[in-house]
């Protein structure tokens, strides 16, 4: 049995590797050789996933070629900005499962980029999945989506454990982009928390944010049922409300006038907001929460300005 490569040793990559190691051997690839040696020696990722022991069946390496040896597919679990370079270094006959919840540098889908680079077996993984909980084996569910149903089922078999229920889908666009947009809404939810605007405001924000997700995803060909599934509504609720959410915490920090960085950890929603705002402007779509977050994170509006502009929009029916 070949080892499953998990490419990226941040919190999410480590959690997926620990989960998959319950089914068989896993090779966790870390970009920095010194970091890989630390993980292999200490058997814990104290920097990104403290308190979770790396099981015996999980091997750590800094050699990319060694990580993917004899493997039919690999989980790509680096931040979205690092995905293009990593894909460029991989053989095109390797199946790739894209686990980053972000966009390509041009604002397009990472799955589209992968196919443009010549990969034929491509899948995306998304859902309400906090690394801190999955690494500890707490119950969770996720979705793996691919145009290739057989490939999706292979990934499902590799990742399904008593603690992680894995569903399949053929709506690649819906699953991938739901994970992208919910990060921006979660930043907005953090702004609400940081400004102490209350539960009514946060509930309204999440609900209207779901409408924006539906507008964006269906415009790009996603199915509406995906928007209201695990990778849409499910992920939005988790990311907008959890204490584990980097995006929510970043919004809260901005509202307090603090820097949103968290020890060098990537906050995908901060970058994504600007890309989605540009897309909406270019294509004539109305994404007011996205627009507010983009202006606030660029320092063009204060958090209070963003709230005021959302509240003062023209009156309209709820469904239109």
């Amino acid at each position: 049995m070949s080892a499953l490569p998990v490419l990226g040793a941040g919190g999410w990559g480590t959690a997926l590797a620990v989960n998959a190691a319950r089914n068989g051997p896993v090779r966790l690839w870390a970009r920095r050789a010194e970091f890989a040696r630390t993980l292999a020696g200490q058997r814990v990722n104290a920097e990104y996933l403290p308190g979770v022991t790396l099981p015996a069946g999980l091997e750590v390496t800094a050699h990319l070629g060694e990580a993917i040896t004899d493997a039919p597919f690999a989980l790509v679990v680096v931040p979205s900005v690092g995905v293009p370079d990593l894909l460029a270094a991989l053989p095109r006959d390797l199946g790739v499962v894209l686990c980053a919840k972000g966009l390509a540098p041009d604002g397009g889908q990472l799955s589209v980029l992968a196919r443009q680079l010549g990969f034929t077996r491509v899948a995306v993984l998304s859902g309400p999945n906090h690394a801190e909980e999955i690494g500890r084996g707490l119950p969770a569910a996720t979705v793996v989506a691919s145009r290739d149903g057989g490939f999706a089922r292979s990934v499902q078999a590799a990742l399904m454990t008593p603690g992680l229920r894995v569903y399949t889908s053929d709506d690649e666009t819906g699953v991938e982009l739901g994970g992208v947009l919910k990060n921006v809404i979660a930043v907005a939810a953090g702004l609400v928390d940081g400004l102490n605007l209350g539960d009514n405001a946060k509930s309204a924000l999440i609900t209207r944010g779901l409408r924006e997700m539906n507008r964006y995803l269906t415009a790009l060909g996603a199915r509406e049922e995906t928007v209201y599934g695990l990778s849409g509504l499910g992920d939005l609720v988790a990311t907008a409300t959890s204490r584990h959410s980097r995006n929510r915490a970043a919004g809260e920090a901005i509202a307090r006038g603090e820097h949103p960085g968290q020890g060098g950890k990537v906050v995908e929603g901060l970058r994504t907001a600007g890309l989605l705002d540009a897309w909406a402007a270019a294509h004539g779509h109305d994404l007011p929460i996205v627009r507010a977050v983009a202006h606030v994170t660029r320092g063009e509006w204060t958090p209070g300005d963003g709230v005021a502009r959302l509240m003062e929009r023209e009156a309209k029916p709820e469904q239109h």
Side-chain angles (χ1 to χ4, degrees):
M1 182 179 184
S2 60
L4 173 65
V6 178
L7 309 181
W12 185 214
T14 303
L16 284 172
V18 169
N19 175 75
R22 298 180 178 113
N23 288 336
V26 171
R27 290 196 189 102
L28 177 63
W29 174 76
R31 180 178 54 83
R32 293 176 285 144
E34 182 179 351
F35 186 45
R37 287 193 293 271
T38 299
L39 293 181
Q42 296 182 355
R43 305 306 297 173
V44 65
N45 190 338
E47 185 171 348
Y48 295 107
L49 196 65
V52 176
T53 301
L54 305 186
L58 194 161
E59 176 187 350
V60 183
T61 180
H63 301 286
L64 186 59
E66 179 182 334
I68 63 175
T69 298
D70 298 327
F73 63 87
L75 307 188
V76 177
V77 205
V78 296
S80 59
V81 293
V83 170
D85 287 344
L86 180 53
L87 289 178
L90 296 175
R92 301 308 190 260
D93 61 349
L94 181 72
V96 290
V97 184
L98 304 170
C99 304
K101 297 178 180 179
L103 296 170
D106 64 355
Q109 293 175 237
L110 293 171
S111 60
V112 172
L113 172 64
R115 289 196 169 86
Q116 290 173 341
L117 290 173
F119 292 92
T120 58
R121 291 184 302 145
V122 177
V124 296
L125 181 77
S126 192
N129 305 145
H130 289 304
E132 296 84 353
E133 297 178 1
I134 287 180
R136 289 168 172 78
L138 297 179
T142 194
V143 183
V144 57
S146 178
R147 300 177 189 173
D148 181 339
F151 183 40
R153 288 188 291 274
S154 294
V155 179
Q156 179 186 46
L159 298 181
M160 186 106 156
T161 64
L164 182 62
R165 184 164 181 80
V166 182
Y167 292 86
T168 60
S169 170
D170 61 0
D171 188 1
E172 219 173 83
T173 294
V175 170
E176 181 175 6
L177 294 182
V180 169
L181 185 48
K182 60 87 188 179
N183 283 331
V184 181
I185 306 303
V187 173
L191 290 166
V192 169
D193 288 340
L195 293 170
N196 296 312
L197 298 182
D199 294 337
N200 291 339
K202 191 167 181 179
S203 176
L205 176 92
I206 291 172
T207 305
R208 296 307 301 174
L210 184 63
R211 291 289 295 176
E212 289 194 26
M213 288 178 65
N214 188 61
R215 198 174 302 142
Y216 172 59
L217 269 64
T218 55
L220 291 172
R223 295 196 298 269
E224 189 164 302
E225 66 247 35
T226 305
V227 179
Y228 295 101
L230 286 167
S231 60
L233 174 60
D235 205 1
L236 173 61
V237 170
T239 311
T241 62
S242 174
R243 69 185 188 280
H244 298 309
S245 170
R246 297 180 194 174
N247 291 281
R248 192 207 59 77
E252 190 172 0
I254 292 171
R256 295 194 301 261
E258 300 171 4
H259 191 278
Q262 289 194 346
K265 296 179 181 179
V266 173
V267 182
E268 292 279 9
L270 299 181
R271 169 178 173 268
T272 302
L275 292 172
L276 291 178
D277 185 41
W279 175 88
H283 294 86
H285 287 280
D286 186 29
L287 301 179
I289 297 173
V290 168
R291 182 168 63 251
V293 172
H295 280 284
V296 169
T297 55
R298 287 194 298 256
E300 298 162 352
W301 297 353
T302 67
D305 290 335
V307 173
R309 288 173 184 260
L310 288 171
M311 294 299 292
E312 293 168 2
R313 298 176 73 237
E314 64 176 322
K316 60 184 65 173
E318 182 182 17
Q319 312 291 340
H320 64 282

